Amino acid sequence: MYPTFINKKRVKIQGIIGKCRLLYFRALGLKVGKNCKIGKIVCDWPNNVELGNNCVVLDDVILGIGYGFNESNTIKIGDSAYIGFRVEFNCTSSIEIGNNVLIATGTKILDVGHNFQIGQIINQQPLTSSPIIIEDDVWIAANCVIVGGVKIGKGSVIGAGSMVNRSVPENEVWAGVPAKFIKHRE
């Protein structure tokens, strides 16, 4: 265990590094609200990403934008959102995260897929893309996968390890592969 003065110094240095990281991404075009904390992230098109106020984005988060020259390909994260370690966003359409959303470690949010019709080589078939909307007050537990065209309703909970391939109504708990209704939130 480090002595207290070393811990305080370490916290101060990490705070300075975090502020430098924010300045760097803002200079690249990332729209960042007030009081945000950003860890060591990968963001290939920062001008297509927007963070609300009081957001926390931990280390190893990937904010991936395909076709970044298309301004409609955006990731928008609302106020007071928490994005855990190693969360991956893969966006070629749009991903919208509401306010007060918790997304736990290892989750992947992918609005892009691929056609796979017989008679044509798969790598020559077009990509498919559909927006994802995660409304306010949602908790997505660790290691989930959310695919394109899904809307997760306000106040819903997604259980750990789930794969969500269809929309979830408000205030419901879903889990499994594929995710299914478990119960209503009480």
Side-chain angles (χ1 to χ4, degrees):
M1 181 92 168
Y2 293 111
T4 306
F5 71 90
I6 292 177
N7 284 336
K8 286 181 183 178
K9 190 171 185 175
R10 176 186 244 172
V11 168
K12 187 174 184 177
I13 290 169
Q14 287 174 341
I16 292 168
I17 291 169
K19 287 179 183 176
C20 290
R21 194 176 291 120
L22 273 173
L23 289 172
Y24 169 76
F25 279 110
R26 277 190 176 131
L28 293 176
L30 184 72
K31 296 162 208 74
V32 182
K34 297 177 184 173
N35 302 317
C36 288
K37 294 180 181 167
I38 298 176
K40 295 177 242 171
I41 66 170
V42 174
C43 186
D44 52 1
W45 290 92
N47 56 316
N48 291 33
V49 178
E50 184 176 329
L51 296 176
N53 298 318
N54 306 307
C55 289
V56 175
V57 180
L58 297 183
D59 290 344
D60 302 323
V61 168
I62 298 172
L63 298 162
I65 303 279
Y67 313 112
F69 291 112
N70 185 345
E71 292 180 13
S72 66
N73 298 350
T74 58
I75 299 171
K76 293 183 181 178
I77 299 173
D79 296 338
S80 301
Y82 175 91
I83 312 297
F85 292 104
R86 294 179 301 284
V87 171
E88 179 181 337
F89 294 84
N90 191 336
C91 175
T92 62
S93 177
S94 70
I95 298 172
E96 187 175 328
I97 310 295
N99 300 322
N100 303 301
V101 171
L102 303 175
I103 301 175
T105 298
T107 292
K108 297 187 182 337
I109 301 172
L110 317 149
D111 75 356
V112 63
H114 208 285
N115 279 351
F116 54 90
Q117 295 176 352
I118 196 84
Q120 187 177 4
I121 297 171
I122 287 180
N123 70 1
Q124 294 176 356
Q125 294 189 38
L127 296 174
T128 60
S129 185
S130 300
I132 294 173
I133 299 171
I134 299 172
E135 294 185 338
D136 298 344
D137 189 32
V138 169
W139 174 28
I140 299 172
N143 298 310
C144 291
V145 176
I146 315 294
V147 299
V150 166
K151 178 179 179 180
I152 299 177
K154 181 178 180 179
S156 292
V157 175
I158 307 301
S162 297
M163 197 279 287
V164 182
N165 62 356
R166 57 188 164 154
S167 293
V168 175
E170 291 185 3
N171 297 311
E172 290 188 357
V173 177
W174 283 47
V177 178
K180 295 180 178 146
F181 171 78
I182 303 297
K183 66 179 184 175
H184 292 281
R185 260 184 82 189
E186 296 175 13

